[in-house]
Amino acid sequence: MKRLFCLILVWMGLTHTILSQTLIEPNQNFVWESFSFLFPEPVVIKMESNLQKKLTIYPAKRDGFFMVVRILPWSEPITDKNLWMDSVFQKGLSPKQFQKAINNQNFQIYQADQIRNQNALRNQVWIQMDRKPYLWIWIQWKTDRKDLSDFFESNLFLSL
């Protein structure tokens, strides 16, 4: 039993490893896997390696948002609205789905508001539709931070 437990711990370490954490300043271009991002304030980016490539982005100085960015491992993105709404937005309010073209790249965007721990939150999932590897971005921010609403809803975080 002890040996099995040790093997599980080793396997978890090999399949889910934090590669690095990086501090990025505001409006500094951050390139990852041929994708380029900007952030409205200093952030810490945690790069992880497991079965999927993944970034987790947190504000460095004050609360207000987070992002998760992944490279989708399958050959075609899953675009079933109910799948994304149910898996990402817990008790989402006013769910919406729309498309946005940015520099000749098409994104399917799923959006819903949410109340969590007495905070009003906006959630968006962006799925890149026409370039491989497919990009998946989940953004959540406090709606009382109007600066963040303007930044994310105007897609300023993508410096494609």
Side-chain angles (χ1 to χ4, degrees), residues 32 37 48 52-58 65-71 124-126 135-140:
W32 177 72
F37 302 95
E48 297 180 45
Q52 299 178 30
K53 296 178 181 182
K54 175 183 168 186
L55 294 177
T56 306
I57 298 105
Y58 301 97
F65 78 95
F66 82 93
M67 291 176 66
V68 176
V69 180
R70 294 177 190 234
I71 302 295
Q124 288 185 340
V125 170
W126 290 58
L135 185 67
W136 180 91
I137 305 168
W138 176 23
I139 311 165
Q140 183 179 74

Side-chain angles (χ1 to χ4, degrees), residues 15-44:
T15 60
H16 188 76
T17 304
I18 296 174
L19 297 176
S20 69
Q21 287 190 189
T22 306
L23 177 67
I24 302 296
E25 294 298 326
N27 300 316
Q28 178 183 347
N29 199 23
F30 176 76
V31 178
W32 177 72
E33 296 293 323
S34 78
F35 299 102
S36 183
F37 302 95
L38 293 173
F39 303 101
E41 54 192 56
V43 297
V44 173

Side-chain angles (χ1 to χ4, degrees), residues 42-93:
V43 297
V44 173
I45 297 179
K46 181 171 63 171
M47 288 184 252
E48 297 180 45
S49 174
N50 54 17
L51 300 177
Q52 299 178 30
K53 296 178 181 182
K54 175 183 168 186
L55 294 177
T56 306
I57 298 105
Y58 301 97
K61 294 185 178 180
R62 63 180 182 162
D63 195 18
F65 78 95
F66 82 93
M67 291 176 66
V68 176
V69 180
R70 294 177 190 234
I71 302 295
L72 296 179
W74 48 81
S75 61
E76 296 293 328
I78 297 172
T79 57
D80 180 5
K81 175 183 177 180
N82 293 327
L83 175 68
W84 291 108
M85 293 293 184
D86 294 342
S87 67
V88 176
F89 309 131
Q90 299 171 356
K91 298 179 185 174
L93 307 171

Side-chain angles (χ1 to χ4, degrees), residues 41 62-64 141-150:
E41 54 192 56
R62 63 180 182 162
D63 195 18
W141 70 89
K142 290 183 175 182
T143 56
D144 64 349
R145 293 271 316 266
K146 298 300 180 200
D147 60 324
L148 294 177
S149 293
D150 292 342

